[in-house]
Amino acid sequence: MKVKNLASVMAAAVMMLASANAVAKNDLASFHLKMGDCQTCHADGKMKDIKKSITDSETHINAQCKECHGGFADLADKKLKLDPHGSHLGEINCTTCHSGHAKPKLTCNNCHNFKMEMPFADAKAKKKWDGDWDQDKIKKAIARGPVETVDVVVVGGGNAGFNAALSAQVEGAKVLLLEKAPYVGGNSMLAAGGINAVGTPQQKAKGIKDSVNWFIEDTMKGGRYKNDPKLVKILGEQSADAVKWLESLGVNLDDLTRSGGARVQRTHRPHGGASAGPQIMATLNKVAKERGIPVRLNSRVEKIVLNDDKSVAGVVVHGRHSGYNMIAAGSVVLATGGYGMNKQMIAYYRPTFKDMTSSNNVTATGDGILLAKEIGASMTDIDWVQAHPTVGKDSRILISETVRGVGAIMVNTDGQRFVNELTTRDRASDAILKQKGKYAWLVFDKQLVEKKKMIRGYDRLGMLSKGSTIEELAKATGMKDLAKTVADYNKYQAAGKDAAFGREDMPIKFNQPPFYAVKVAPGIHHTMGGVAIDTDANVLNLQSWKMDGLFAAGEVTGGVHGFNRLGGNAIADTVIFGRIAGKNAAKHALKKK
Ligand code: MEZ
């Protein structure tokens, strides 16, 4: 039996519960018990074995859900304005939100604030399984010895992690990817913008003159010249190849835009202006599945284990169901992302940002930094945290830099421009924080909505104010000087010279109603600092020596972006250094065997 959509599942649930009239508990498991036995959801076996048979990825249970209810496409409900089965998270495990024995939890609400009815919402809340790291259990797992051996363990299932895993496998290594969340993607999944690259066919087709040197100069300038030039050189030189590689896997990157701090259009994005992150992650996940790379969810690494000679021996992983176990590995790749959602770390490293909202995924808790520090890794620029200037005010939703890149202007509460919209993020954020109320508005017209799918997404989320004339929009938002600002901007646009703030790229004239505005404020977006690495993605210790068998890539590392990351350089970083880390980790592990 396939139940076609969520509404009919809920209706069926209510009817069955009413007729059953005597359910033991009001949870999903008790409901299913009315139709069958525990094996409806769990693997065959004696009752006492059922708990043991649940894997950390909850693969069997989820396959059973789909067996009866179909996939997300079957469950999609076109009538819903916001459909949880059609989100940017893709086809994640059903158990990410629904729970057999406990209250369901809408994962979307980690960032959003959707009021959605969930079946069995009055069931008992579940205990958190991945709270404090239990040192005693870690020690016992090490004492018991490894339960499993692989060549390379990759910690973290974002862009860097998947690229590392795919590259390590190409080298012939046996790879295991561990992800603490019930779904993969991390911050990469939320990346709205795109990947910066120079010398691509896309740039050529648009006649854009660019060079690796310009890429390097822009990145160094954006980073206040505090970046490690050797890492930036690799970023520039390998950027076109990174785009080619993603395309070879099936990602579309046909659209080009200009991000803040870049002198030309070099941010490559999916055709039609959809967000880049979900497309890239869906593709990497699919390819990893096709290539048989095990991706284990609900598996939090809580210790990197070293041999007596300080080389890497493996990790201790805390599985949601399997508990604490050691996995032996010749190499470990840290691809755990940054610490933008770890309030304690933010308060410690960047106290002035401690109360700031964050655009980050809840997974960005700095685990890799803590793991590496504990075994003596060196940190680079650890206290440099980037505020993205345009996070939706009062929400955690990023309004992509692309919106400014393709033409939006930014104004204060009176409707006056106050900064070159395409300046670097730190400068734009500082400028907003000096305005009344410490927030700003992005203003644009119908042209952008037509051009960019992601903007239609903001509209669906109810974030946009609208007016059929500029005056109407000004009235709705209280921006008294907006009409004059727009008239002046249109004159600068026509003249090709921004006399007020020197903005170089002014792609649209504001003349196509309706007009839109979205309220924005700076929010924590990227933690530039982290584990110190060399050009082979080896993690360095306090003496700047390689730590034998430990590699790292992506936001967990420091050095690539200096004090400030440019938009579009994160995906480039995660792909390029993820691949380098995976390749070198595999070579190292295979040589050691
Ligand atoms: O790289 C980024 O962080 C980026 C381009 C974000 C965005 O504004 O879309």
Side-chain angles (χ1 to χ4, degrees):
M1 168 188 72
K2 278 199 174 157
V3 186
K4 272 298 175 200
N5 60 39
L6 191 60
S8 41
V9 175
M10 288 175 67
V14 170
M15 268 172 57
M16 296 234 9
L17 283 174
S19 65
N21 215 5
V23 271
K25 289 186 228 150
N26 189 17
D27 60 26
L28 195 59
S30 307
F31 169 68
H32 280 96
L33 218 44
K34 299 283 156 202
M35 291 177 277
D37 52 20
C38 297
Q39 274 72 27
T40 307
C41 301
H42 297 290
D44 279 344
K46 298 204 181 86
M47 270 313 279
K48 71 176 175 47
D49 295 329
I50 278 188
K51 225 171 153 204
K52 273 197 251 155
S53 75
I54 306 173
T55 61
D56 291 323
S57 292
E58 300 172 342
T59 314
H60 181 81
I61 306 174
N62 281 282
Q64 296 299 92
C65 301
K66 289 188 177 162
E67 174 79 22
C68 293
H69 299 276
F72 279 23
D74 298 293
L75 291 165
D77 187 343
K78 292 242 159 53
K79 292 196 289 300
L80 289 177
K81 194 170 165 211
L82 296 162
D83 183 358
H85 295 111
S87 85
H88 58 108
L89 292 182
E91 186 133 359
I92 54 178
N93 270 351
C94 307
T95 49
T96 310
C97 299
H98 304 281
S99 178
H101 300 276
K103 199 181 172 78
K105 183 175 180 294
L106 192 66
T107 294
C108 308
N109 279 349
N110 287 338
C111 298
H112 303 274
N113 194 11
F114 298 147
K115 304 269 177 286
M116 270 182 213
E117 267 183 56
M118 303 268 296
F120 308 102
D122 55 347
K124 267 204 206 136
K126 194 172 186 124
K127 263 194 18 218
K128 205 168 153 41
W129 68 276
D130 62 344
D132 288 342
W133 299 5
D134 190 326
Q135 294 304 328
D136 205 38
K137 289 186 177 160
I138 292 173
K139 274 191 207 138
K140 284 185 183 149
I142 298 172
R144 277 198 310 274
V147 296
E148 202 175 341
T149 300
V150 295
D151 298 319
V152 178
V153 163
V154 175
V155 191
N159 210 343
F162 272 89
N163 276 289
L166 289 166
S167 304
Q169 195 200 43
V170 168
E171 294 298 316
K174 183 176 174 195
V175 187
L176 172 63
L177 190 150
L178 299 170
E179 166 57 54
K180 70 169 184 259
Y183 50 86
V184 294
N187 270 356
S188 310
M189 169 66 84
L190 308 181
I195 170 169
N196 284 349
V198 49
T200 60
Q202 287 86 329
Q203 279 191 322
K204 202 167 168 202
K206 268 188 132 177
I208 291 163
K209 185 176 164 294
D210 198 3
S211 73
V212 170
N213 276 346
W214 280 5
F215 183 117
I216 293 172
E217 277 171 26
D218 290 350
T219 301
M220 294 295 298
K221 184 175 174 206
R224 308 282 166 260
Y225 298 98
K226 298 294 180 189
N227 332 41
D228 179 339
K230 294 189 290 310
L231 300 178
V232 178
K233 186 164 181 279
I234 292 175
L235 194 74
E237 284 174 352
Q238 298 193 17
S239 60
D241 195 46
V243 166
K244 197 166 150 199
W245 151 258
L246 289 177
E247 288 175 330
S248 76
L249 300 178
V251 181
N252 180 285
L253 293 167
D254 283 352
D255 196 22
L256 257 186
T257 185
R258 180 170 173 188
S259 295
R263 71 185 80 182
V264 295
Q265 292 185 7
R266 64 167 79 102
T267 306
H268 296 65
R269 320 172 20 74
H271 175 76
S275 292
Q279 255 220 38
I280 295 175
M281 281 318 306
T283 307
L284 292 173
N285 200 6
K286 177 171 154 275
V287 174
K289 257 193 202 122
E290 286 163 3
R291 297 188 184 178
I293 295 177
V295 174
R296 200 169 295 165
L297 303 172
N298 297 310
S299 297
R300 185 171 199 169
V301 171
E302 298 188 9
K303 178 88 186 165
I304 300 168
V305 186
L306 299 183
N307 293 307
D308 289 344
D309 66 358
K310 299 264 190 278
S311 62
V312 161
V315 297
V316 173
V317 59
H318 178 190
R320 179 175 191 153
H321 301 287
S322 59
Y324 282 79
N325 287 296
M326 180 177 163
I327 299 173
S331 300
V332 169
V333 178
L334 289 175
T336 45
Y339 62 90
M341 279 299 279
N342 185 325
K343 286 226 169 274
Q344 254 179 324
M345 286 175 80
I346 293 286
Y348 182 75
Y349 289 123
R350 190 64 191 258
T352 48
F353 283 6
K354 79 178 172 21
D355 297 319
M356 201 179 256
T357 185
S358 169
S359 66
N360 283 193
N361 199 321
V362 286
T363 51
T365 49
D367 288 20
I369 289 163
L370 302 174
L371 290 167
K373 256 180 87 169
E374 193 184 46
I375 55 164
S378 171
M379 300 291 140
T380 300
D381 304 331
I382 186 69
D383 48 351
W384 282 91
V385 177
Q386 177 177 79
H388 191 296
T390 62
V391 177
K393 170 109 172 75
D394 311 319
S395 82
R396 306 217 299 103
I397 313 306
L398 182 81
I399 305 297
S400 176
E401 197 159 298
T402 305
V403 178
R404 281 169 288 146
V406 295
I409 55 167
M410 186 154 70
V411 295
N412 62 19
T413 49
D414 290 330
Q416 298 153 352
R417 286 177 73 215
F418 54 90
V419 72
N420 171 352
E421 289 83 356
L422 298 183
T423 187
T424 50
R425 290 175 178 175
D426 52 350
R427 296 216 158 99
S429 295
D430 287 348
I432 295 173
L433 293 174
K434 286 189 190 122
Q435 304 306 307
K436 224 188 307 169
K438 300 189 177 183
Y439 71 88
W441 292 91
L442 288 179
V443 176
F444 46 91
D445 73 3
K446 182 180 151 195
Q447 297 170 78
L448 262 64
V449 179
E450 279 178 353
K451 230 184 197 166
K452 295 290 158 194
K453 201 169 165 194
M454 67 164 67
I455 300 180
R456 300 198 281 281
Y458 305 139
D459 199 17
R460 267 209 316 282
L461 291 171
M463 297 174 80
L464 306 185
S465 301
K466 218 179 278 187
S468 49
T469 60
I470 287 285
E471 289 72 17
E472 205 178 291
L473 182 67
K475 201 163 163 213
T477 53
M479 292 189 272
K480 63 179 178 51
D481 298 330
L482 186 63
K484 177 173 181 329
T485 299
V486 169
D488 287 348
Y489 182 84
N490 279 346
K491 275 189 221 144
Y492 304 149
Q493 201 270 350
K497 188 169 164 31
D498 174 12
F501 293 100
R503 174 177 175 156
E504 281 164 15
D505 204 26
M506 294 178 280
I508 64 156
K509 176 175 251 166
F510 288 68
N511 56 11
Q512 292 191 29
F515 299 92
Y516 298 85
V518 53
K519 215 186 239 188
V520 292
I524 293 164
H525 186 58
H526 192 98
T527 48
M528 272 78 59
V531 174
I533 53 164
D534 67 10
T535 49
D536 288 328
N538 288 293
V539 174
L540 304 176
N541 69 12
L542 295 174
Q543 284 78 37
S544 293
W545 294 345
K546 286 192 253 188
M547 295 183 76
D548 190 354
L550 187 60
F551 300 82
E555 200 176 343
V556 68
T557 67
V560 178
H561 307 292
F563 287 181
N564 177 60
R565 176 176 69 76
L566 294 190
N569 271 356
I571 301 185
D573 173 13
T574 47
V575 174
I576 294 167
F577 286 97
R579 290 178 75 197
I580 293 174
K583 184 174 168 182
N584 291 329
K587 281 189 172 161
H588 176 270
L590 295 173
K591 204 163 118 199
K592 246 176 95 170
K593 259 182 161 178

